[in-house]
């Protein structure tokens, strides 16, 4: 029997979902990456964080406007359908179901397991691992894979069996993960300014080493991936109380919180260690200098919890992926995947498919990025980054058609903000082409080889798309086919 999803989440949970999904493991380590990209130029790194944050915020502002106008089942699918058309909405929903949600969820399962083991081995250095930690046991060892499977099943269980518990878990982990970030932001800035060994002003005055090319470009690309994930919060559109009011507020408030935390954390880290130490050893050095060795180990636990919170948010979207398509009567077996359990108020069949796809994508991620030799040859690519860039490419038609159709809005909301979001999306697509296409191609060519991961990702993307469109066409054909005597029409009032 089919049931609609109940509106069970409030504004605070929605804000925690936005913040909790975006702030994952990356923020703890992006300070090092940004400094490396800018060759130690701290102010230039701050500019990169600001620009990356602005790209996210203008995208959020555009989708927040859409959230006030369109509301059905799943935010991003609703917006694509309302602006571009039903076929494009189906295309976006199929991509989110088959690629975006499960690929990122599987990676976060692995990261959660990895940093849990890092915490365990940092507290108990003699903890027995089949592959010693110093040889990569926390990354590729059987213990890591076993923990990853456990975390995947746990994330599925709490989202599929008790969505309210999943919401509470999201809120809790978001609060926990903010503790080390806010501590470093506040204490790091104070220590860096007033203590005798404070280095904040010195780091800010450091011009960095001379570089060729534009270091700001690479730094912005690095921040862009740290800002991704907020769009997943729109997947609870049908389960959010007063969604037309609360979803825009959650998106905007969450986005502002994220940008503020990232900026102050980055500055706080600069108050705890020299630029050279941060470039070589990362933010852990700042934590050790300010809080001591014990907190340095606890930081690994916070990172693991942070990953788990992001994993929970991704699984929340994953369990609802195919449901957003099936509830429109589209995709494979919509009558099966749109069913909602009367007790849990969750689309259990859709959740099971999401779990299965997570397993497939982890197999691919392991074979492409963790195995000693790439299992998939030229088709080995980073499944943690390219799906993220694809969603930016999918935003482009939505922005363009929204500007065309939103005739009832002011110039700023109809043209200016979507245009800025469009520019940000185009930038991200170009950055991906450079980072995953041109750059590896030139590097491989210099060594007499060939590599262009983005091309082979696009081939896989096209295959998945064609498979999905085949189901869409079949469904439309079925709708036009007259019923036969073997399949009598349902009686009045019967679903």
């Amino acid at each position: 029997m089919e049931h609609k999803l109940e509106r069970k989440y409030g504004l605070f949970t929605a804000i925690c979902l936005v913040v909790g999904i975006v702030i994952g493991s990356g923020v703890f380590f992006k300070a090092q990456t940004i400094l490396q990209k800018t060759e130690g130029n701290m102010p230039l790194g701050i500019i990169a964080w600001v620009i990356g944050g602005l790209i996210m915020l203008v995208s959020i502002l555009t989708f927040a406007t859409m959230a006030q106008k369109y509301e059905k089942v799943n935010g991003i699918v609703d917006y694509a359908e309302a602006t571009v058309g039903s076929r494009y909405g189906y295309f976006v929903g199929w991509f989110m179901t088959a690629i975006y949600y499960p690929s990122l969820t599987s990676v976060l399962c692995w990261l959660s397991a990895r940093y849990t083991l890092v915490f365990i081995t940092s507290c108990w250095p003699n903890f027995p691992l089949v592959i010693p930690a110093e040889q990569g046991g926390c990354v590729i060892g059987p213990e890591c894979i076993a923990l990853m499977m456990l975390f995947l099943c746990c994330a599925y269980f709490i989202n599929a069996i008790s969505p309210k518990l999943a919401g509470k878990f999201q809120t809790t982990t978001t609060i926990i993960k903010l503790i080390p970030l806010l501590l470093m932001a506040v204490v790091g800035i104070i220590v860096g300014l007033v203590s005798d060994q404070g280095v904040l002003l010195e780091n800010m005055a450091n011009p960095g080493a001379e570089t060729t090319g534009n270091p700001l470009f690479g730094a912005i690309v690095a921040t862009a991936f740290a800002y991704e994930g907020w769009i997943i919060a729109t997947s609870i559109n049908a389960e959010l109380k007063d969604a037309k009011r609360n979803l825009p507020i959650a998106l905007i408030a969450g986005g502002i919180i994220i940008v503020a935390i990232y900026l102050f954390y980055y500055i706080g880290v600069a108050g705890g260690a020299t630029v050279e130490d941060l470039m070589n050893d990362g933010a852990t050095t700042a934590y050790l200098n300010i809080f001591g060795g014990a907190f340095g180990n606890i930081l690994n636990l916070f990172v693991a919890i942070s990953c788990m919170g992001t994993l929970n948010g991704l699984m929340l979207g994953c369990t609802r992926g195919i449901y957003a398509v099936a509830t429109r009567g589209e995709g494979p077996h919509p009558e099966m995947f749109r069913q909602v359990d009367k007790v849990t108020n969750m689309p259990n069949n859709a959740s099971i498919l999401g779990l299965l796809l997570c397993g497939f994508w982890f197999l691919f991620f392991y074979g492409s990025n963790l195995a000693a030799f790439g299992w998939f040859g030229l088709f080995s690519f980073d499944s943690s980054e390219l799906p993220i860039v694809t969603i930016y490419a999918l935003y482009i038609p939505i922005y363009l058609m929204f500007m065309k159709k939103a005739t009832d809005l002011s110039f700023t909301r109809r043209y200016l903000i979507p245009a800025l979001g469009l520019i940000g999306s185009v930038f991200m697509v170009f950055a991906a082409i450079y980072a995953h296409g041109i750059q590896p191609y030139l590097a491989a060519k210099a060594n007499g080889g060939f590599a262009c991961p983005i091309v082979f990702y696009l081939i896989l993307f096209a295959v998945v798309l064609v498979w999905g469109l085949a189901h869409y066409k079949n469904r439309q054909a079925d709708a036009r086919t007259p019923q036969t005597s073997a399949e009598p029409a349902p009686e009045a009032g019967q679903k």
Side-chain angles (χ1 to χ4, degrees):
M1 187 174 182
E2 298 179 18
H3 299 268
K4 290 184 178 180
L5 296 174
E6 296 176 356
R7 297 190 180 276
K8 48 183 152 307
Y9 299 121
L11 176 60
F12 185 67
T13 299
I15 293 175
C16 288
L17 183 61
V18 175
V19 176
I21 291 177
V22 175
I23 299 180
S25 62
V27 63
F28 293 97
F29 308 103
K30 282 299 179 181
Q32 179 182 14
T33 303
I34 302 304
L35 280 174
Q36 291 171 346
K37 296 290 184 181
T38 61
E39 294 293 343
N41 189 320
M42 184 68 65
L44 194 62
I46 294 175
I47 293 173
W49 280 112
V50 171
I51 294 176
L54 288 175
I55 292 174
M56 179 189 70
L57 286 176
V58 293
S59 299
I60 283 177
L61 286 172
T62 305
F63 281 99
T65 302
M66 295 183 194
Q68 293 176 324
K69 293 174 64 67
Y70 315 121
E71 178 188 0
K72 191 174 181 181
V73 178
N74 182 301
I76 179 62
V77 181
D78 298 343
Y79 312 148
E81 183 179 70
T83 55
V84 185
S86 59
R87 184 182 293 268
Y88 191 73
Y90 170 78
F91 169 37
V92 171
W94 184 260
F95 163 75
M96 300 292 285
T97 298
I99 297 179
Y100 185 87
Y101 290 141
S103 64
L104 298 183
T105 302
S106 62
V107 172
L108 261 297
C109 284
W110 169 72
L111 283 172
S112 300
R114 171 184 175 179
Y115 289 114
T116 299
L117 282 177
V118 169
F119 168 70
I120 292 173
T121 55
S122 65
C123 293
W124 297 280
N126 295 324
F127 186 82
L129 296 177
V130 174
I131 301 175
E134 58 272 15
Q135 297 179 20
C138 296
V139 178
I140 60 173
E143 296 87 356
C144 179
I145 306 305
L147 269 178
M148 174 265 165
M149 295 174 64
L150 173 64
F151 290 151
L152 179 63
C153 292
C154 288
Y156 166 79
F157 178 81
I158 64 172
N159 276 278
I161 301 300
S162 180
K164 289 185 178 180
L165 177 60
K168 292 179 181 179
F169 182 80
Q170 189 67 37
T171 302
T172 303
T173 54
T174 299
I175 294 172
I176 292 174
K177 74 171 65 177
L178 291 180
I179 293 174
L181 297 175
L182 294 175
L183 274 176
M184 177 53 73
V186 176
V187 179
I189 291 175
I190 294 174
V191 170
L193 290 175
V194 303
S195 69
D196 294 335
Q197 67 272 25
V199 294
L200 181 57
L201 296 179
E202 180 182 339
N203 286 339
M204 287 297 178
N206 189 340
E210 293 186 6
T211 60
T212 58
N214 188 350
L216 182 61
F217 180 84
I220 294 173
V221 173
T223 67
F225 292 108
Y227 282 121
E228 176 55 25
W230 55 270
I231 193 64
I232 299 172
T234 66
S235 65
I236 64 168
N237 189 36
E239 301 165 81
L240 185 62
K241 300 173 183 176
D242 196 3
K244 286 190 175 182
R245 170 188 174 273
N246 287 336
L247 185 56
I249 294 175
L251 291 173
I252 295 171
I256 293 173
I257 291 171
I258 292 164
V259 174
I261 288 175
Y262 278 13
L263 285 174
F264 284 108
Y265 171 77
Y266 183 73
I267 297 172
V269 166
T274 65
V275 166
E276 291 75 15
D277 289 339
L278 291 173
M279 291 175 64
N280 295 328
D281 303 318
T284 303
T285 301
Y287 277 97
L288 293 174
N289 290 344
I290 294 177
F291 299 105
F295 195 88
N297 289 335
I298 295 176
L299 173 63
N300 293 319
L301 177 61
F302 280 115
V303 175
I305 294 174
S306 179
C307 292
M308 293 175 194
T310 304
L311 165 61
N312 180 70
L314 286 167
M315 182 60 77
L316 185 147
C318 205
T319 53
R320 292 158 174 80
I322 196 66
Y323 172 79
V325 173
T327 195
R328 291 169 163 82
E330 299 167 353
H333 304 291
E335 67 285 349
M336 177 173 64
F337 290 118
R338 67 187 176 204
Q339 291 183 10
V340 177
D341 187 88
K342 292 187 295 183
V343 177
T344 63
N345 192 240
M346 278 294 295
N348 287 341
N349 293 336
S351 301
I352 293 171
L353 178 63
L355 178 65
L356 178 64
L357 291 172
C358 287
F360 278 118
W361 274 105
F362 178 73
L363 179 68
F364 178 86
F365 176 77
Y366 185 92
S368 297
N369 299 278
L370 302 180
F373 301 96
W375 292 356
F376 305 103
L378 293 173
F379 281 89
S380 296
F381 56 79
D382 189 350
S383 58
S384 68
E385 292 190 356
L386 285 172
I388 293 176
V389 177
T390 306
I391 197 68
Y392 277 96
L394 296 178
Y395 292 159
I396 294 174
I398 298 176
Y399 289 143
L400 291 172
M401 294 305 296
F402 181 73
M403 287 188 283
K404 178 181 179 181
K405 292 184 175 182
T407 56
D408 58 327
L409 299 179
S410 64
F411 174 84
T412 299
R413 300 180 73 190
R414 181 182 177 184
Y415 291 111
L416 181 58
I417 295 176
L420 293 174
L422 178 65
I423 293 171
S425 294
V426 170
F427 172 83
M428 283 299 301
V429 172
F430 175 77
I433 294 173
Y434 179 80
H436 294 278
I438 297 173
Q439 198 171 43
Y441 171 77
L442 294 176
K445 183 179 180 181
N447 295 319
F450 175 79
C452 194
I454 196 169
V455 170
F456 295 95
Y457 164 74
L458 290 175
I459 293 174
L460 177 62
F461 173 79
V463 170
V464 173
L465 171 61
V466 170
W467 180 33
L469 288 179
H471 286 292
Y472 178 84
K473 292 177 182 177
N474 288 341
R475 185 62 189 171
Q476 300 304 307
D478 290 343
R480 292 191 296 268
T481 301
Q483 292 179 319
T484 65
S485 58
E487 296 180 48
E491 298 178 3
Q494 182 179 357
K495 291 185 178 181

